[in-house]
Amino acid sequence: MPIYSEKVMDHFMNPRNVGEIENPDGIGEEGNPVCGDMMTFYIKVKDNRLEDVKFKTFGCGAAIAVSSMVSEMAKGKTLEEAKKITPRLVADELEGLPKNKFHCSNLGAQALNKAIDDYLKKQQKEGGK
Amino acid sequence: MREVYLDNAATTPLLPEVREAMIPYLGDVFGNPSSLHDWGDGSREAMETARDQVAQLIGADSDEIIFTGSGTESNNFAVKGLALAQQSKGKHVVVSAIEHFSVLHSAKTLGKWGFEVDEVPVDKYGVVDPEEVRKRLRKDTVLVSIMHANGEVGTIEPIKEIAGITSKLKVPFHTDAVATAGTIPVDVRELGVDALSLAGNQFYGPKGVGALWLRKGVRIMPLLDGGIQEGGRRAGTENVPAIVGLGKAAELAKTDMESRVKRLTPLRDRLLKELPRKVGHVVVTGHPQNRLPGHASFCVEFIEGEAMLMLLNSKGIAVSSGSACTSRALKASHVLIAMGLPHELAQGSILLTLGMDNTPEDIDYVLEMMPPIVDRLRQMSPLYAKFTKTVKGGK
C-alpha cells in the first residue's frame, strides 16, 4: 500500500490556494526548516469571514497536502468556525496521514490559527487607537 | 510513460543470469547443505562454488568467507563480534561519523555493553582523514570500522592508508564495503583490512544475502548460536538459493566490472555537471571526483527531498533522499550533517544512483523533468520567497 491516501496525493499533486496575498489581514507561520516542515498562511478577512486563504509550504508531500486541505476547509468560514479546525480534523478530511507524519507535517491548522490571531491582534490595536 | 530507475543504492535489480542460476535451488535441489546424503551434497556443492566466486571477487581465500543474511548482518557481526572477541584486551572502538546505521547502531550497542566508542569526523566531502583515526587509537582499542564508500554521498574513503596505521598497531580493522564490493575493484589484501562486509543486492544479486570476509586467524564472537554452519561462526541453515545468486552475481561483477564502470561514469558525470546548471542553487554532495561510478547526489536549496521524490515518481523516475521527512525516524541524514551541511539544506537531499540498465536517454529525460519539478516546489516554498525578496531587496 502506498504511504499516502488518494486524497493526500490529490492535494499534493494539485494543491489548492498556493501563494501569497498582497497586503494580507493576517499572517501565521508555523514550524521551521530544521525539523523539516514550515508553513506560512495568509488570510483576507471580510465581515468576520475568511474571504481568502493562501499558503506557502516548505516540506514533504504530507505538509503540502495538509496546507492545501486547511486552506480549502477554512475558506469562507467565520473566524470562530475556522479556529475550530484541528490537526485531527485535517487528517480525517485527508483520509488519514501516516502515523509518523501526524505531528511534524500536520501544522496547517496551527499556522492558520496564528494568522487569525495576528488579524485579531491588529484589529485590537486599531480599535484602541 | 518512460520509466527510469535511479535508486540502485537502495537495491539493484536481479540479473536474469543470476535468477536462472538460483532457480534449481528453489526447486529440485532443496537438500540441507549440512545433510550427509546426496540431497545435501547438491546444495553444499553449489554453496561452496558460490563461496569461491565471492572469494575471487575480493581476492580472498574461500574459507575466509562467511555467508550472512544481509550487509546489515555482516556489519553487526563484524562490529559486535570482533569487539567482543577482543574485550580482554580492551573496550575501545573507533568508527566514522558517516557509517551506515548497521555499524553506528552496533557501536551504540557496544556502548551499552561497557565499550567506549569514538567517532571520527569527516570533511565537507565526507572524507575520513587517516590522521584523525591515528589520533584516536589507544592501547585498549580493539576495533576500527570505517566504510569503504558511503552509499549516500558516494565518497570513497582512504581505506588502504587507514589500514597502514591500524596494522602497525595490530588493531583489527573492519570495512563496510557494501557500496563498493561488486561495483569497483575491491581486493582485501591490497586494502590491508582484517574484515570486510558485502551484500548481494548491491551488485545485481538477490536481497537477503551478504557475506563477511574475515582474515584467517582473526577471532570473532558469533552472534547466532546453534549448529556448526559456516565454520561454527554463523549458525542456521544457509539460504542456498540466495547464496548461489550471490555467487553468480559476484562472478559476473568480476568479469564485467571494467565495462560497467566505463558505462556508468560518463552518465554520472553528466548528472553531476548538468543538473546543478539546469536547476540552479544545487550543491553536489560527496567528493566531486573520488566517488562511486554510478553515484550522483545533491542538495537542492529551498525545497524538501520527499516532495521532489514523489513528483519525480509521478514522472516515472525513482530516486531517494536523505531528508528528515523521507526517513521513518524523521531525522535529517547523519551523513550530511556530519559533513557540515545546515539542516535546511540537508532537507533538499536527493540521490540518483545509476545502474546497468540506464541509458544516455534516461539522463536526458531526468534533466528535462527535474527543472519544472524543482520550480513548482520552489514556487510553493516560503524559503524561496524569502530568498528572492532578499536578493531583490539587496539590488
Side-chain angles (χ1 to χ4, degrees):
Chain A
M1 205 186 82
I3 64 159
Y4 289 133
S5 70
E6 269 180 44
K7 203 87 174 261
V8 172
M9 284 309 291
D10 175 36
H11 276 264
F12 167 64
M13 296 300 291
N14 316 289
R16 286 67 147 167
N17 308 307
V18 176
E20 290 177 33
I21 296 175
E22 266 189 56
N23 306 315
D25 294 324
I27 301 179
E29 201 176 282
E30 187 67 52
N32 65 67
V34 173
C35 70
D37 296 317
M38 186 178 144
M39 299 171 190
T40 313
F41 268 77
Y42 304 85
I43 56 170
K44 201 88 194 163
V45 183
K46 199 180 176 188
D47 301 332
N48 199 43
R49 271 183 198 278
L50 291 172
E51 190 187 43
D52 200 7
V53 180
K54 286 203 184 304
F55 73 88
K56 285 222 162 171
T57 291
F58 166 89
C60 65
I64 290 168
V66 161
S67 313
S68 166
M69 178 54 89
V70 168
S71 72
E72 210 176 57
M73 287 166 80
K75 228 174 165 174
K77 282 206 164 77
T78 66
L79 298 184
E80 293 72 29
E81 285 165 347
K83 288 206 97 177
K84 284 185 191 145
I85 298 171
T86 61
R88 177 84 265 162
L89 283 175
V90 177
D92 288 347
E93 280 296 315
L94 284 168
E95 288 162 5
L97 281 172
K99 235 185 197 166
N100 61 347
K101 299 266 175 167
F102 188 89
H103 292 289
C104 76
S105 307
N106 201 352
L107 305 168
Q110 290 98 308
L112 174 74
N113 232 303
K114 280 192 176 173
I116 295 173
D117 288 344
D118 180 46
Y119 164 77
L120 293 173
K121 220 185 263 169
K122 282 181 191 162
Q123 286 297 103
Q124 265 181 356
K125 269 190 197 162
E126 277 170 27
K129 269 178 199 169
Chain B
M1 188 172 56
R2 200 181 181 95
E3 286 193 350
V4 182
Y5 182 76
L6 292 176
D7 199 10
N8 286 278
T11 186
T12 50
L14 193 68
L15 271 180
E17 296 97 307
V18 174
R19 185 172 58 229
E20 285 308 310
M22 291 168 71
I23 284 174
Y25 304 92
L26 294 159
D28 292 341
V29 195
F30 64 88
N32 185 323
S34 295
S35 297
L36 299 178
H37 41 62
D38 288 355
W39 283 263
D41 285 347
S43 291
R44 189 165 56 250
E45 277 160 24
M47 204 170 75
E48 293 319 312
T49 303
R51 205 181 300 279
D52 295 340
Q53 289 163 324
V54 172
Q56 278 162 26
L57 175 68
I58 57 170
D61 290 341
S62 299
D63 59 358
E64 296 174 312
I65 302 291
I66 306 166
F67 290 121
T68 66
S70 59
T72 285
E73 186 191 328
S74 299
N75 283 339
N76 268 263
F77 188 15
V79 174
K80 295 174 190 165
L82 290 170
L84 288 175
Q86 313 281 329
Q87 61 179 327
S88 59
K89 289 183 197 156
K91 287 194 163 194
H92 179 242
V93 170
V94 177
V95 298
S96 90
I98 60 163
E99 294 302 305
H100 187 261
F101 281 138
S102 51
V103 167
L104 280 184
H105 291 175
S106 290
K108 214 172 170 184
T109 299
L110 285 175
K112 285 182 198 157
W113 293 345
F115 283 79
E116 204 183 319
V117 182
D118 255 335
E119 267 185 26
V120 184
V122 293
D123 69 8
K124 62 175 177 174
Y125 295 129
V127 181
V128 173
D129 178 356
E131 276 312 306
E132 291 290 329
V133 178
R134 187 202 299 274
K135 270 195 241 166
R136 284 168 178 78
L137 295 181
R138 313 190 315 212
K139 263 190 182 157
D140 61 340
T141 308
V142 288
L143 175 69
V144 173
S145 182
I146 313 272
M147 66 201 331
H148 191 196
N150 183 281
E152 216 177 300
V153 295
T155 302
I156 299 170
E157 303 295 344
I159 296 305
K160 208 173 153 179
E161 288 73 13
I162 300 169
I165 296 167
T166 56
S167 63
K168 263 185 213 144
L169 297 164
K170 296 202 164 50
V171 177
F173 180 21
H174 163 253
T175 189
D176 167 6
V178 167
T180 54
T183 300
I184 59 171
V186 170
D187 185 297
V188 292
R189 314 283 173 212
E190 206 191 305
L191 286 175
V193 294
D194 300 295
L196 178 144
S197 301
L198 60 89
N201 70 332
Q202 297 289 309
F203 53 96
Y204 309 96
K207 296 164 191 67
V209 66
L212 178 68
W213 168 80
L214 194 61
R215 181 191 294 281
K216 236 170 265 164
V218 175
R219 285 173 55 225
I220 195 160
M221 177 89 90
L223 295 185
L224 300 180
D225 294 316
I228 51 153
Q229 290 90 352
E230 300 301 297
R233 292 172 295 190
R234 203 269 189 181
T237 302
E238 298 89 341
N239 184 354
V240 177
I243 288 170
V244 168
L246 174 68
K248 187 69 191 175
E251 182 195 278
L252 292 168
K254 192 172 164 67
T255 330
D256 300 343
M257 188 166 295
E258 214 184 304
S259 68
R260 288 182 191 176
V261 171
K262 268 192 188 146
R263 244 175 74 79
L264 292 176
T265 310
L267 298 180
R268 173 201 74 185
D269 288 344
R270 268 193 70 198
L271 279 176
L272 290 175
K273 205 169 122 191
E274 291 180 34
L275 197 113
R277 197 188 291 161
K278 286 216 162 188
V279 172
H281 298 288
V282 168
V283 178
V284 172
T285 58
H287 200 279
Q289 289 93 34
N290 199 13
R291 61 189 298 140
L292 293 167
H295 195 292
S297 55
F298 310 90
C299 281
V300 182
E301 285 188 67
F302 315 119
I303 59 175
E304 189 279 326
E306 191 215 71
M308 232 182 323
L309 183 158
M310 285 169 62
L311 289 176
L312 283 166
N313 185 51
S314 76
K315 299 289 179 197
I317 302 168
V319 303
S320 62
S321 167
S323 85
C325 309
T326 322
S327 77
R328 292 229 174 122
L330 300 175
K331 273 190 181 163
S333 150
H334 67 287
V335 178
L336 299 176
I337 299 304
M339 285 160 57
L341 269 78
H343 274 83
E344 56 263 49
L345 188 55
Q347 287 291 15
S349 144
I350 185 167
L351 172 50
L352 295 82
T353 44
L354 300 150
M356 275 150 58
D357 292 339
N358 294 127
T359 61
E361 289 72 32
D362 288 346
I363 307 302
D364 295 339
Y365 182 66
V366 173
L367 289 170
E368 184 195 329
M369 289 299 138
M370 197 71 185
I373 285 175
V374 170
D375 188 53
R376 180 173 163 177
L377 291 170
R378 281 187 178 158
Q379 291 312 319
M380 265 188 242
S381 164
L383 298 179
Y384 189 62
K386 274 181 194 166
F387 167 76
T388 49
K389 273 174 201 160
T390 342
V391 171
K392 275 181 201 157
K395 268 179 194 167

